[in-house]
Amino acid sequence: MKRQVEIILQHGWAFDSRCWRGWMPHLKENPDLQVSVQIPDRGYFGTTRKIEPFSDSRDACRIVVAHSFGLHLIPDAILAKADLLVLAGVFTHFHAGDPLEQKRSRRTVQMMIEKLKVDPISTIDDFYSSCYHPLLTSQMLLMRKTGTVDVELLSSDLQLLNTNHFDIESIRKIPQILLIHGSEDAIVKPSHSHKMNEELTESSMVLFEGAGHSLPLTHVAPAWISIRTAMRQ
């Protein structure tokens, strides 16, 4: 009998639901699993799709995969029902490190907020370039080249990213938490995941050598292998 799996894939800031396209073959080609997939879209580039509640099935394994700022967009009611939470390049508070590092980080985000008002396209392009995978730059640029760019939403979410503190206590009761991070992530340093892994009791961490911030696009197969391994534990 196939195991029922419900999975939610939540993208981060300046990405959209299309960043998960490469996951579909991996999610569907599992003879031992019956997978239903939900891919919400924040609406930065025209399409908005809200997160729907998990089903009431007692047999389903409920998985939430959140990329970066995406963790801050998931309702508490969804997290409360998750059996496995996968955190890809996430942060509880974006401005980490010593006071000088925090000051530099805040200055960088504030400059992005100001630049978004004047030249949103180049701001997004610069962000994509910093996601560290030049081979996929054209694929990432496709996100903002199709549809409209909601500058107001991008700006307000960047303001939220600038100030929000995610309460780690809200996920302590989730049975399993898997943190995955790129060793070369220049947007969210791996130290964020290391710190979360130290603070959580039911968590494990996988560091992908040479990977940057665009894990949903660049490391689909190893990420899915890590998730399957976590599901078996």
Side-chain angles (χ1 to χ4, degrees), residues 189-206:
K189 301 293 186 182
S191 56
H192 285 270
S193 285
H194 283 297
K195 187 173 186 293
M196 288 185 71
N197 194 37
E198 291 173 358
E199 294 178 354
L200 294 165
T201 55
E202 301 299 328
S203 65
S204 59
M205 180 177 171
V206 178

Side-chain angles (χ1 to χ4, degrees), residues 11 25 38 43 55-57 74 82 91 95-96 121 148 156 161 164 167 210 220 224:
H11 66 81
Q38 187 184 159
S55 75
D56 294 325
S57 172
I74 299 172
F91 54 90
H95 306 298
I121 298 303
T148 57
S156 63
L161 177 151
N164 199 48
D167 184 7
V220 180
W224 179 240

